[in-house]
Amino acid sequence: MSGLSREPPMIPPKYFYDSHGSMLFERITRLPEYYPTRTERSIMGTHGRDMAQRIPAESTVIELGAGNCEKAHELCSLIRPACYVPIDISADFLHDAAQALRDAHPTLDVRPVVADLAADIDLDGEVPAERRLVFYPGSSIGNFEPDDAAGLLSRSRRLLDGDGAMLVGVDLVKEESVLHAAYNDAENVTAAFNLNALAHLNRLIGSNFDLREWRHHAFFNHARSRIEMHLEALVDTTVAWMGGERRFRRGERIHTENSYKYGIEDFAGLLDRAGFSSIVCWTDPRRWFAVFLAHA
């Protein structure tokens, strides 16, 4: 695990998402402090008809980071896709969610794909190439460094023919108090989600993290316009894993996640850089969140 040997040490956020981590994240989306999910849902509810008019009928929806496929239920009622391709890194969680979607929409062709979004996405050759819509809701694009986000957008663009499009949710810059509360919830669900990455690593690489020796720490980095999540050592401790070990001092942190907050023009610039055009944006009245539709 090379990230643990870096300066400063880090754990890629994909390690949040074993089955337990995926369930914890679904709990986070329902917390009163966590505004992105319900704000995005309100935008889809208010502007969904306008969005649907701009998306070809009987599209193939390719959802990145699909999780429990909950947002697909809403999108399916808007645009009636012919095929739905949920993509996620958590295999068991994904297949359970895909089956639930099949049960709710018996006529929908559902084809789950287990993949890491940091790499190229290899779709089944039988997935229709025409009228594709890449769907990336929930502001997860903010977990990538801006250059990496541009790379993901470019890879998404390559999945599309000339009649394709991308629909993506983006968290916007707002008051720090709102951001702090969203990532430091009163029930400590986000803390459990962050710490679960250590439990996941223990199983994957044979490390011996003691979760009682670590605490969740999240704050807004003004200079980089992002929330940062870290795990902070509560005591001096040594962590070993197959092929390596590291001594952590009390107060030393492992960087686990970033969540960038964009201005509307800044994110539109990333879409343009990735080769998209005809960019349309919808926001909520407080301009806390945005949904972009961009055409190939």
Side-chain angles (χ1 to χ4, degrees), residues 7-78:
E7 292 296 345
M10 58 83 66
I11 296 172
K14 66 183 180 181
Y15 291 107
F16 290 138
Y17 296 102
D18 60 356
S19 293
H20 184 57
S22 295
M23 287 187 288
L24 285 171
F25 184 72
E26 298 312 320
R27 283 185 61 193
I28 288 171
T29 65
R30 297 189 291 271
L31 293 169
E33 300 96 332
Y34 193 79
Y35 61 86
T37 302
R38 64 176 177 272
T39 307
E40 183 179 50
R41 183 176 293 122
S42 74
I43 294 170
M44 299 288 286
T46 301
H47 301 286
R49 182 172 296 180
D50 189 15
M51 294 178 192
Q53 290 175 347
R54 299 169 186 267
I55 297 169
E58 298 186 343
S59 292
T60 292
V61 173
I62 302 166
E63 183 175 1
L64 308 182
N68 67 357
C69 302
E70 181 178 346
K71 295 184 177 70
H73 289 274
E74 302 166 12
L75 187 64
C76 287
S77 66
L78 281 175

Side-chain angles (χ1 to χ4, degrees), residues 101-239:
L101 192 69
R102 290 188 188 99
D103 294 341
H105 300 272
T107 62
L108 180 62
D109 182 9
V110 181
R111 306 184 186 190
V113 174
V114 178
D116 182 349
L117 299 186
D120 286 337
I121 297 168
D122 184 18
L123 293 181
D124 185 332
E126 296 182 2
V127 173
E130 66 279 357
R131 297 192 302 276
R132 286 180 174 179
L133 176 73
V134 175
F135 182 44
Y136 197 22
S139 75
S140 295
I141 191 71
N143 297 145
F144 293 85
E145 293 292 324
D147 284 347
D148 294 334
L152 174 60
L153 294 173
S154 294
R155 293 194 297 277
S156 298
R157 170 65 182 80
R158 291 196 292 271
L159 294 173
L160 305 172
D161 282 347
D163 60 354
M166 184 170 191
L167 190 68
V168 54
V170 180
D171 203 7
L172 302 179
V173 177
K174 60 186 63 64
E175 295 88 346
E176 184 175 349
S177 60
V178 176
L179 293 170
H180 181 83
Y183 292 85
N184 294 278
D185 61 277
E187 295 182 39
N188 293 316
V189 182
T190 308
F193 175 70
N194 200 5
L195 286 161
N196 183 66
L198 301 183
H200 192 193
L201 279 182
N202 284 347
R203 294 192 301 276
L204 287 176
I205 66 171
S207 54
N208 62 342
F209 281 102
D210 184 340
L211 275 61
R212 296 168 299 181
E213 297 179 345
W214 298 84
R215 76 175 183 97
H216 165 74
H217 182 69
F219 63 92
F220 184 61
N221 182 329
H222 287 275
R224 305 194 70 173
S225 191
R226 70 188 189 190
I227 283 282
E228 295 185 12
M229 291 217 311
H230 298 254
L231 291 165
E232 183 177 297
L234 296 171
V235 296
D236 292 343
T237 185
T238 298
V239 176

